[in-house]
Amino acid sequence: MLSAKNYMNDKTFIDTNVLIYAYDVDAKGKHDIARSVLRELWSDRNGVLSTQVLQEFYVNVTRKIPHPLSKASARLVLDSYMVWCIDTTPGEISVAFQIEDSAKIGFWDALIVASALKGRASRILSEDLNAGQLIAGIRVENPFVK
C-alpha cells in the first residue's frame, strides 16, 4: 500500500478518484486507503488538487456513488479542500495541449498533469493514469495497488 509518508518533502496532486473514494463508504478497502492517504497529506501539508478535481468530485459524490452525499455535505468537503486548490488558467490549458500531444493521453488527464505542474507536485495519485508513468517529469502512483 502506498503511504503519503513517502511524500513528506514533496507536493502530491490528488486526482478525482482518490478524493471520491475517501468519501464513498461503499468503496470498502479503497475508501480506507484514500482516507489514510489524505489524512497524512493533511498532516504533512503536501496535498494539491485543481478546480477540475473539485468540480468532478462534487458531481460524482452527489449523483453517481451508491450512497450520495447531500449537496450541503459535499459543499463542506469542497470548502475544506479549497486551500489545496490550483486555479486553472489559459496557461494550464495551453500546457495541457502540449502534454496531451507529447504523452498521448486525453485532454482531461493532460489538464490534471498541467495543474500538478503548476502546483509543483512531484507525484500524482490516480487510479486512472498509468501507475509508474512519468509525465512531464511527474510520477504517477496508484495508491490502491500493493
Side-chain angles (χ1 to χ4, degrees):
M1 178 177 82
L2 182 68
S3 170
K5 289 292 183 195
N6 298 335
Y7 311 137
M8 286 178 61
N9 298 319
D10 297 322
K11 292 289 185 186
T12 299
F13 190 96
I14 300 298
D15 198 358
T16 309
N17 50 52
V18 177
L19 191 58
I20 290 169
Y21 286 136
Y23 293 89
D24 181 1
V25 295
D26 295 306
K28 299 184 173 65
K30 289 181 180 183
H31 171 74
D32 296 334
I33 292 168
R35 287 184 61 85
S36 176
V37 168
L38 290 174
R39 191 172 26 256
E40 290 180 31
L41 288 171
W42 272 109
S43 175
D44 297 337
R45 299 177 182 228
N46 288 335
V48 179
L49 47 71
S50 65
T51 51
Q52 174 189 352
V53 168
L54 293 179
Q55 291 164 342
E56 291 173 352
F57 169 82
Y58 181 78
V59 169
N60 282 284
V61 299
T62 60
R63 299 179 192 172
K64 297 184 178 183
I65 62 175
H67 292 95
L69 298 181
S70 69
K71 289 180 181 179
S73 293
R75 290 171 186 167
L76 286 172
V77 172
L78 288 182
D79 285 344
S80 70
Y81 283 96
M82 295 277 182
V83 297
W84 288 14
C85 194
I86 299 299
D87 290 328
T88 302
T89 67
E92 283 74 57
I93 293 171
S94 293
V95 170
F97 291 149
Q98 296 168 13
I99 293 169
E100 176 186 24
D101 293 342
S102 65
K104 298 185 182 356
I105 60 175
F107 173 75
W108 296 115
D109 289 337
L111 191 55
I112 290 291
V113 177
S115 296
L117 278 171
K118 182 178 183 179
R120 297 189 173 124
S122 60
R123 295 172 180 89
I124 297 172
L125 297 186
S126 178
E127 184 179 54
D128 294 338
L129 294 166
N130 293 326
Q133 186 175 14
L134 195 64
I135 306 172
I138 301 175
R139 172 120 356 242
V140 176
E141 302 284 347
N142 183 339
F144 309 111
V145 174
K146 293 181 180 184

